Amino acid sequence: MICKNNFKPHLSLAHDYWQKVVERNDIVVDATCGNGHDTLFLAQLAYEGKVHSIDIQKEALSLAKEKIASEQNTADVHFYNQCHSVFPKKIEPGSVKLIVYNLGYLPGGDKSITTMLNSTLESLNSALSLLRPDGLISVTCYPGHDEGLREESAIMEFIKNLSPKKWHCHYHTWPNRPRHPSLLIITPL
């Protein structure tokens, strides 16, 4: 979807980045599975590869499994019912092409269950070592709720401390729309 002024909403912009990076046979991670839309999109992009899909809520993983089960020509998808702060041990350092975070709470679910800044920062720190040299980390923030605002602020501090000699960061936000979702892209140099 493109707005009449050629700007794209945050999720469409994220999908554009993902499509430019992910190829058949790649290993990708959906660190916050949610309702499974991103897991399915990634499984189609990485056809014949692997998708590791993580969520703390069993309900979210069930929704994602249903979406994947009805599709053909997808990657091999592994589901993990756990917090995104620690990645599954089977994911080797330097092996992942794309790591996706769609922060906040499960759409249509319990809004009191949300990603938290400490676990997200721990996850992002670990994600850096999992990424391939040609890989990408995509973080969609939702500062419209209080924890999301704290989370986005902490993530911005986190990326300010990344070495500009090792990491390139892009931050897409809408300054005239306070607390609107934003997109952060991190790539190794």
Side-chain angles (χ1 to χ4, degrees):
M1 178 172 101
I2 298 179
C3 300
K4 68 179 183 176
N5 58 7
N6 290 329
F7 288 107
K8 292 185 177 187
H10 62 284
L11 291 177
S12 295
L13 185 58
H15 287 186
D16 283 352
Y17 276 108
W18 305 351
Q19 287 174 311
K20 290 176 184 169
V21 171
V22 177
E23 299 173 347
R24 189 179 206 156
N25 293 315
D26 280 338
I27 298 171
V28 299
V29 176
D30 184 352
T32 53
C33 176
N35 54 27
H37 294 298
D38 290 343
T39 297
L40 175 58
F41 188 78
L42 295 170
Q44 292 167 334
L45 287 178
Y47 174 61
E48 295 183 350
K50 286 188 179 159
V51 176
H52 298 279
S53 187
I54 302 167
D55 206 287
I56 200 164
Q57 296 182 75
K58 287 181 182 178
E59 175 188 357
L61 295 172
S62 293
L63 291 169
K65 286 177 184 177
E66 286 177 25
K67 284 180 178 57
I68 298 295
S70 64
E71 294 294 321
Q72 295 179 1
N73 301 325
T74 63
D76 183 19
V77 182
H78 301 265
F79 294 96
Y80 306 89
N81 184 211
Q82 65 183 59
C83 180
H84 65 285
S85 60
V86 178
F87 289 97
K89 293 189 187 311
K90 67 169 60 175
I91 303 174
E92 296 180 20
S95 68
V96 179
K97 189 72 163 282
L98 173 67
I99 302 173
V100 171
Y101 296 85
N102 199 342
L103 302 175
Y105 48 80
L106 178 65
D110 182 350
K111 292 182 180 181
S112 69
I113 302 172
T114 182
T115 55
M116 304 295 286
L117 75 89
N118 288 336
S119 57
T120 297
L121 291 177
E122 186 177 344
S123 183
L124 280 170
N125 196 47
S126 296
L128 298 174
S129 67
L130 297 178
L131 210 58
R132 290 174 28 173
D134 59 345
L136 182 142
I137 298 172
S138 171
V139 184
T140 302
C141 298
Y142 293 90
H145 61 100
D146 291 342
E147 184 60 27
L149 184 60
R150 285 190 289 275
E151 200 169 34
E152 182 183 52
S153 178
I155 291 168
M156 293 309 295
E157 286 303 313
F158 172 82
I159 64 166
K160 286 179 186 176
N161 291 314
L162 292 177
S163 170
K165 293 179 181 178
K166 293 183 180 179
W167 300 99
H168 195 130
C169 302
H170 298 274
Y171 181 56
H172 301 274
T173 188
W174 290 259
N176 64 337
R177 294 182 178 188
R179 299 185 79 157
H180 191 74
S182 62
L183 175 65
L184 172 67
I185 301 295
I186 304 169
T187 57
L189 290 178

